Amino acid sequence: MGPGRLSWSLLLRCRRAAAALGAPRCRPVPARPLSAAAPLRAPLRPPGTGGGAPENGAAGAGGDEEGEEEDEAALEELLGPSPLAPGPGAQRIAIVHPAVKWGPQKSPLTTAELQIAEAVALVDTLQNWTVLDKTIVRTRNPNKKFVFGKGNFQVLTEKIKKLPHLTAVFLNVERISSLTKKELEGAWGVQVFDRYTVVLHIFRCNARTKEAKLQVALAEIPLLRSNLKNEASQRDQQRGGSRYIMGSGETFLETQNRVLKERELKIRNALEKLRRKRALLRTQRKKCEFPMVSVMGYTNCGKTTLIKALTGEAGLQPRDQLFATLDITAHAGYLPSRMAVIYVDTIGFLTDLPHNLVESFSATLEEVAYSDLIVHVRDITHPETALQKATVLSVLRNLNLPSHLLDSVIEVHNKVDLIERYKPAEENALAVSALHGHGLEELKQEIEKKILTATGKKILTVNINLEGPQLSWLYKEATVQEVDVMPEEGTARVKVIIGNSAFGRYRNLFPSSKIFIS
């Protein structure tokens, strides 16, 4: 039996295991124009009703199918048009960056010019969104009502009102309150977006699977809740009369809050179902004993390009834009010993990414905790590469990952082809050009070394008697890499990857077998 056939068979099994990480796609839904707080629809069915267990055997045949259909219908309702999504038309944006003069809010690792450049990149990611103007305005405290001092705010307002065909202002701060948003929109006469809103819309546009779309819907809840309070306050001021809805005993705010809580509960329950399904697939994948390597990094650092270079998977099409990868994707590849591994492409990170947004994608990021190894990819050519590294490490620490996983992270300095004679300053960092293939073999060797340590596996070559049960036992209990048959002797040299416990059992069962440790 030749090694070629075994290798292709192994890779096929590995790709099937990688495919198990995916989720079925759902059809895209059209966006709805942005509303300050569009009223939420009440649930189609009262809570607690739906597909229960059949009462008799005859009804049981179609019970599961009916339950699945109802689950799908409820899921489609949750994945409906977002009341927060900007309309599908073109947006002409003015970017305003509040530059903090001094104090704890001023980052030592970046500049206002680099921060506004990243804001421009965010807008450029969105189709039909154009940057009309960009301005840096100094401020002492960006958290106050109008963000800027009176004089600067007046000058800024005059400038914004003179911009032709402006549709929105992107205020480059993590989050603004509903009150500040209302005041700024009143002063400037256009919509005002913060980083939370813009990044959430990018996520919304790039979400492909049901899980990603549900996580986007969950991330919208804090915004809906904030806008709801503002809407309720406006209604009270306008009506001046009864705050209760048609004698129901509930105010508008109470009714909408109840509907919002029910929606949040449904989204979390739907995500929990998908999480359980993912756990089942993870168990199935574990039975195949394929190591998993999570490839992480700042958005647009070249993660997908690196995975394509490591696996040779032609179907991977990296895109030069922020948050091109939102759903977890898995790809099979080989290490130097012919060990098959699964590389997992994960969501990119961003500075000042709101906590609620990261929390909403915990279902996706939790897959990282079950990895055998993390590869941290850095765009070493980026002027903010030190800040980007700090951002990624901060997110990793907040994921409550096992200490051994954090301690074994491989740091990859990507895009070194753009820097002449580059040498990493950090100890143990590997210089790589994913685009041109530079440094890939060294990276594969380092991945293999750490995978073997993390999984407790060994690479062995054993001499076996073809008439004995050793070969079938090895196929069952280990990963057979190559079989070199010597027919004249009735023996074979078998290269395997085997775990510690299985290796101990093999030595006890076949004490006379010759073993060579690679």
Side-chain angles (χ1 to χ4, degrees), residues 24 125 166 254 279 288 291 384 422 441 447 514:
T125 298
L166 183 72
E254 289 170 342
C288 300
E384 288 185 296
Y422 176 78
E441 289 308 312
I447 290 172
K514 291 184 179 179

Side-chain angles (χ1 to χ4, degrees), residues 23-32 41 44 71-83 85 203-204 207-220 263 266-268 270-271 274 327:
R25 293 191 174 187
C26 61
R27 63 177 183 272
V29 292
R32 217 165 82 188
R41 288 191 300 164
L44 294 176
D71 285 348
E72 283 296 316
L75 200 56
E76 289 298 322
E77 182 188 346
L78 293 173
L79 297 175
S82 167
F203 281 13
R204 191 183 292 117
R208 295 291 178 266
T209 64
K210 289 179 181 177
E211 185 170 33
K213 291 183 179 185
L214 283 168
Q215 288 173 126
V216 169
L218 185 62
E220 289 178 343
R263 176 178 173 81
K266 284 185 174 184
I267 292 171
R268 291 190 184 278
L271 281 170
L274 291 173
D327 303 292

Side-chain angles (χ1 to χ4, degrees), residues 225-359:
R225 190 168 282 129
S226 176
N227 291 348
L228 185 57
K229 293 177 183 177
N230 187 42
E231 178 77 4
S233 176
Q234 286 181 351
R235 283 173 177 257
D236 286 347
Q237 291 173 8
Q238 291 169 3
R239 292 181 179 178
S242 173
R243 298 165 59 231
Y244 296 93
I245 299 176
M246 299 181 67
S248 65
E250 279 189 326
T251 64
F252 170 81
L253 181 60
E254 289 170 342
T255 302
Q256 292 293 79
N257 262 327
R258 176 174 54 79
V259 174
L260 194 57
K261 285 179 182 177
E262 289 173 1
R263 176 178 173 81
E264 182 177 3
L265 182 61
K266 284 185 174 184
I267 292 171
R268 291 190 184 278
N269 287 341
L271 281 170
E272 184 57 35
K273 284 184 180 179
L274 291 173
R275 184 183 275 114
R276 287 198 296 267
K277 182 180 179 183
R278 189 188 290 278
L280 179 62
L281 293 173
R282 191 186 301 122
T283 302
Q284 293 171 352
R285 189 181 67 245
K286 215 166 187 180
K287 289 179 181 177
C288 300
E289 293 190 341
F290 294 121
M292 193 169 85
V293 179
S294 286
V295 182
M296 311 189 75
Y298 204 83
T299 183
N300 208 30
C301 67
K303 300 185 302 296
T304 305
T305 304
L306 180 62
I307 291 175
K308 182 175 183 177
L310 289 170
T311 63
E313 189 172 324
L316 271 174
Q317 297 298 328
R319 289 180 287 165
D320 185 16
Q321 66 179 58
L322 304 185
F323 300 111
T325 301
L326 193 59
D327 303 292
I328 272 192
T329 58
H331 313 272
Y334 277 133
L335 295 178
S337 67
R338 307 295 296 163
M339 185 196 310
V341 295
I342 296 173
Y343 293 101
V344 178
D345 198 357
T346 59
I347 181 175
F349 301 126
L350 188 74
T351 307
D352 293 331
L353 195 61
H355 175 74
N356 287 334
L357 212 49
V358 176
E359 180 67 24

